[in-house]
Amino acid sequence: MKIIFATGNMGKLAEASEILGQGFELVTPAQMGITEEIPETGDTLRANSLQKAEYIYQKTGLDCFADDSGLEVDALGGAPGVYSARYAGDHCSFDDNIDKLLGELAEHPGEPRTARFRTVVTLLVGGEPHFFDGVVEGKIAFERSGTRGFGYDPIFVPDAFAPKTFSEIGIEDKNAISHRGQCLRAMAAWMAENL
Ligand code: ITT
């Protein structure tokens, strides 16, 4: 099945392609000539996920899905959360965000480094939204380890693979337990049953 994944994040795209497998052909907005940044003005993952999917649906009239994700760090009151992509400022790099997060956590010595990734995927079918949630628990490492993945992967240690970070385990192991893997497997199951 051919479907639009409303993302500009190539790390997410690589993971989604692997999770959904050969039965899906994922098309990005850029491949459809939609090159502007998709607005994300909500203050929840669900609102932003819906907003991204609806933006693409309105432009194309085609079924699509979007992923909004965030990293919640307990010692920082749940930050960066919905602001994970731009924690260190507009158009900052993944490295800038990691530096800021490790700097903020250094100001909370002795506090637990527990954290979790959350994703909300919105699937729009005929304009109707269907939501899928995923969460993976872990801890924030003191320094970066590993080279794979994207975003905060070099400092996120999922409980299931401790002490390895998401960047140290392969994409297959990450997808097997990740926030995104949970959402997209649930979405694929829903589609198999309902479409
Ligand atoms: P979209 O085009 O899909 O919106 P984005 O990168 O802006 O891509 P989000 O708005 O969902 O995505 O921002 C979430 C940020 O959280 C993302 O930029 C990463 O820094 C981080 N993130 C999300 N999922 C992650 C993962 O699986 N591993 C590491 N970091 C992740």
Side-chain angles (χ1 to χ4, degrees):
M1 149 180 269
K2 198 168 175 174
I3 188 163
I4 305 173
F5 182 13
T7 188
N9 180 321
M10 293 304 108
K12 287 184 184 179
L13 180 67
E15 290 182 9
S17 302
E18 160 89 23
I19 294 162
L20 294 171
Q22 292 186 342
F24 285 82
E25 185 188 340
L26 302 183
V27 181
T28 61
Q31 288 168 330
M32 308 226 16
I34 301 169
T35 51
E36 69 271 23
E37 211 171 308
I38 304 174
E40 285 184 58
T41 55
D43 54 11
T44 62
L45 297 180
R46 189 172 163 125
N48 282 336
S49 177
L50 178 63
Q51 187 178 22
K52 287 188 268 193
E54 285 190 324
Y55 184 87
I56 294 302
Y57 185 76
Q58 278 161 13
K59 288 227 151 188
T60 64
L62 298 171
D63 293 348
C64 61
F65 67 94
D67 160 322
D68 203 59
S69 302
L71 176 64
E72 298 174 359
V73 180
D74 291 328
L76 304 179
V82 72
Y83 304 108
S84 294
R86 46 188 189 279
Y87 191 39
D90 283 345
H91 308 296
C92 61
S93 68
F94 290 145
D95 263 336
D96 295 337
N97 283 333
I98 289 179
D99 286 340
K100 176 161 163 101
L101 185 59
L102 292 178
E104 298 275 339
L105 263 182
E107 290 170 23
H108 296 260
E111 284 186 47
R113 297 177 74 91
T114 46
R116 64 205 56 75
F117 273 116
R118 275 187 207 284
T119 297
V120 179
V121 163
T122 305
L123 170 68
L124 284 182
V125 177
E128 279 300 309
H130 304 272
F131 298 100
F132 304 91
D133 297 305
V135 60
V136 60
E137 298 284 339
K139 292 192 176 60
I140 304 299
F142 285 88
E143 56 189 37
R144 294 166 172 82
S145 298
T147 52
R148 289 176 275 199
F150 67 96
Y152 298 90
D153 281 346
I155 57 163
F156 185 79
V157 177
D159 289 342
F161 286 94
K164 290 188 176 167
T165 65
F166 263 164
S167 283
E168 292 178 286
I169 66 177
I171 186 172
E172 275 180 39
D173 283 338
K174 180 182 174 188
N175 286 342
I177 60 162
S178 78
H179 46 314
R180 182 162 301 107
Q182 293 167 36
C183 292
L184 294 179
R185 280 188 293 275
M187 182 184 85
W190 185 90
M191 291 168 91
E193 208 167 292
N194 293 281
L195 300 185

